[in-house]
């Protein structure tokens, strides 16, 4: 994490030294940086200094967020992006070329799936999809692949993975590993310490935490981040803006306490939902369900039987809102039937057989007992 701090709470709460003793970093809202002399400018262009040059590739406020995320995830360096998909796209395109194969976990994030199918496959990249168990138990799966694209837990179905085992298979096969850690955050899971090469976040979710920021971030070794900075960050242009970086730094300072509240709500829901006869299964991996997973976030999914009217359930809720995304202060519900009806081509939920009786809940920061009372009332009415 850091030689100076032993806990994430202390790392995130540590005051920045800003102008006039400010405990928050300044927002350096500029598009470019000038130089005091010809020699300084020439040295920067020649790569002999790392002075800021242009905000599309470097900015002090963005750098402060990147440094914090690198320490939090136990990586050597990080680079921020304007969205989670910007981070995913720039990272994949930096390490994959036509003729390569990506081994991807099933139930991957829908837009990552569309990236692979709509853009990469037509450009000659082969993508194969595999269940979690196959990644864990088949060492030959990754042979010949260029990249293993992972999520633990996976999107929608929330299947957790034995990351040390998968990382060991990948190292033996010489395959780069990349994982989306948005669900667990570094509070509950640190994949680099488990052997994974690259960690990516949709920072719009728990990292930001306030549903007011769209951003992404990648954490890895200095060499891998350097390659992204040299190639896809400047050329694809999905840079993280200074104001968004400032909001993300604010979000990090409350991340551990927010994750504990999300977990408290999820624990209550999992316990009570599991006892209901109309619930077939609750998808929500808990602490220690796989090596390296230290907690449960507030995103879970529920598979109901046919006695539950999903439309009535969703419309009968008061504290849960219908909407996409997750990880903010508000509670959300997303019925699978709505996503399955999405008109965009290459629907991952259709591809991987997500049942129509499934609903995904993002439990926010409201009181967990209030959330449960609201959900229980709507569920009773939906089955009447």
């Amino acid at each position: 994490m850091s030689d100076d701090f032993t806990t994430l709470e202390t790392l995130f709460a540590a005051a920045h030294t800003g102008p006039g003793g400010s405990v928050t970093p300044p927002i350096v809202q500029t598009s470019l940086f000038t130089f005091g002399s010809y020699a300084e400018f020439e040295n920067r262009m020649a790569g002999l200094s790392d002075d800021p040059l242009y905000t599309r590739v470097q900015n002090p406020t963005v750098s402060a967020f990147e440094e914090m995320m690198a320490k939090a995830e136990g990586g050597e360096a990080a680079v921020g992006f304007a969205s989670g998909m910007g981070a995913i796209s720039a990272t994949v395109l930096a390490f994959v070329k036509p003729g390569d194969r990506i081994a991807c976990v099933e139930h991957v994030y829908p837009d990552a799936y569309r990236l692979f199918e709509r853009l990469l496959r037509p450009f000659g990249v082969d993508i194969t999809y595999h269940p979690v168990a196959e990644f864990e138990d088949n060492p030959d799966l990754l042979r010949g692949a260029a990249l293993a694209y992972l999520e633990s837990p996976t999107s929608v179905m929330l299947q957790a993975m034995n990351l040390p085992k998968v990382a060991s298979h990948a190292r033996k096969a010489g395959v780069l590993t990349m994982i989306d850690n948005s669900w667990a955050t570094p509070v509950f899971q640190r994949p680099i310490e488990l052997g994974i090469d690259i960690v990516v976040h949709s920072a719009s979710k728990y990292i930001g935490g306030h549903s007011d920021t769209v951003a992404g971030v990648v954490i890895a070794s200095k060499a891998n981040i350097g390659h992204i900075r040299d190639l896809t960050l400047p050329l694809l242009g999905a840079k993280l803006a200074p104001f968004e970086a400032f909001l993300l730094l604010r979000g990090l300072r409350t991340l551990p306490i927010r994750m504990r509240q999300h977990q408290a709500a999820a624990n209550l829901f999992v316990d009570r939902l599991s006892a209901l006869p109309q619930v077939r299964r609750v998808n929500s991996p808990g602490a220690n369900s796989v090596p390296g997973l230290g907690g449960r976030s507030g995103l879970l999914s529920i598979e109901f039987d046919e006695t539950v009217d999903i439309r009535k359930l969703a419309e009968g809720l008061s504290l849960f809102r219908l909407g996409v995304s997750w990880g903010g202060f508000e509670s959300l519900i997303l019925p699978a039937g709505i996503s399955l009806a999405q008109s965009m081509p290459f629907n991952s939920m259709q591809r991987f057989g997500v049942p129509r009786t499934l609903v995904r809940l993002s439990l926010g920061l409201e009181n967990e007992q209030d959330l449960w009372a609201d959900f229980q009332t709507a569920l009773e009415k939906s089955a009447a």
Side-chain angles (χ1 to χ4, degrees):
M1 182 186 302
S2 168
D3 293 334
D4 303 319
F5 307 113
T6 58
T7 65
L8 286 177
E9 288 85 350
T10 302
L11 171 67
F12 293 150
H16 293 269
T17 302
S22 168
V23 297
T24 60
I27 303 173
V28 184
Q29 192 67 43
T30 183
S31 61
L32 61 97
F33 300 84
T34 59
F35 295 84
S37 69
Y38 185 101
E40 289 178 0
F41 197 3
E42 184 179 44
N43 286 341
R44 176 61 182 88
M45 297 300 284
L48 300 178
S49 78
D50 60 356
D51 294 333
L53 175 71
Y54 192 56
T55 283
R56 174 154 53 88
V57 293
Q58 190 178 13
N59 176 279
T61 313
V62 175
S63 295
F65 168 68
E66 292 167 341
E67 291 167 8
M68 190 74 79
M69 285 302 304
K71 292 176 181 178
E73 282 285 7
E76 294 178 345
V79 55
F81 288 90
S83 69
M85 280 308 302
I88 291 169
S89 300
T91 303
V92 172
L93 289 171
F95 295 101
V96 172
K97 63 183 184 302
D100 284 345
R101 177 170 72 91
I102 299 173
C104 179
V105 68
E106 289 184 346
H107 297 292
V108 68
Y109 174 59
D111 278 343
Y113 174 73
R114 292 188 183 98
L115 167 70
F116 296 155
E117 295 299 322
R118 297 189 69 185
L119 287 179
L120 295 188
R121 196 180 292 280
F123 278 103
V125 176
D126 183 30
I127 303 97
T128 57
Y129 299 95
H130 311 273
V132 166
E134 193 173 350
F135 273 99
E136 294 175 339
D137 300 331
N138 182 4
D140 296 328
L141 168 66
L142 297 178
R143 187 173 297 168
L147 176 69
Y149 188 88
L150 312 171
E151 293 180 355
S152 183
T154 58
S155 293
V156 185
M157 300 306 291
L158 300 173
Q159 299 164 328
M161 179 180 290
N162 185 326
L163 292 180
K165 194 173 184 180
V166 177
S168 176
H169 295 331
R171 281 194 300 271
K172 292 174 183 176
V175 175
L176 192 70
T177 50
M178 174 179 173
I179 189 168
D180 187 332
N181 197 37
S182 304
W183 183 92
T185 81
V187 175
F188 291 147
Q189 182 172 260
R190 290 156 62 87
I192 290 174
E193 294 180 352
L194 304 176
I196 301 299
D197 296 308
I198 301 172
V199 172
V200 63
H201 284 270
S202 171
S204 320
K205 309 300 193 292
Y206 288 126
I207 299 299
H210 292 74
S211 298
D212 57 7
T213 312
V214 175
V217 63
V218 184
I219 306 97
S221 66
K222 289 182 180 178
N224 284 335
I225 294 298
H227 183 57
I228 296 169
R229 284 191 176 279
D230 177 65
L231 184 61
T232 49
L233 173 66
L235 299 184
L236 296 181
K239 61 92 178 175
L240 178 62
F243 183 65
E244 277 67 30
F246 172 84
L247 292 176
L248 294 170
L249 284 163
R250 176 204 61 179
L252 283 177
R253 287 181 163 176
T254 60
L255 178 63
I257 193 168
R258 285 189 287 108
M259 293 307 294
R260 287 195 289 271
Q261 177 62 24
H262 290 304
Q263 177 172 239
N267 286 342
L268 183 148
F269 268 69
V270 170
D271 289 345
R272 296 185 181 180
L273 286 167
S274 300
L276 297 179
Q278 62 268 54
V279 173
R280 290 177 175 171
R281 181 165 58 183
V282 182
N283 302 310
S284 175
N288 304 314
S289 55
V290 293
L293 183 61
R296 166 184 279 141
S297 85
L299 189 71
L300 56 93
S301 64
I302 312 156
E303 297 175 51
F304 291 104
D305 64 21
E306 299 296 338
T307 65
V308 176
D309 187 321
I310 302 299
R311 182 187 292 268
K312 285 185 177 180
L313 169 64
E315 293 183 345
L317 293 165
S318 297
L319 298 180
F320 291 79
R321 306 179 192 184
L322 280 158
V324 299
S325 197
W326 46 272
F329 56 86
E330 75 288 352
S331 290
L332 298 169
I333 180 170
L334 176 64
I338 290 177
S339 294
L340 288 166
Q342 192 172 18
S343 60
M344 292 180 67
F346 300 103
N347 188 310
S348 63
M349 293 179 70
Q350 294 175 2
R351 166 72 182 267
F352 300 121
V354 173
R356 296 189 66 86
T357 56
L358 179 142
V359 299
R360 190 188 73 184
L361 298 182
S362 176
L363 302 173
L365 298 179
E366 304 93 340
N367 178 274
E368 62 266 31
Q369 297 290 348
D370 292 340
L371 288 174
W372 175 253
D374 182 44
F375 190 84
Q376 185 179 37
T377 299
L379 181 58
E380 290 172 354
K381 291 180 180 179
S382 74

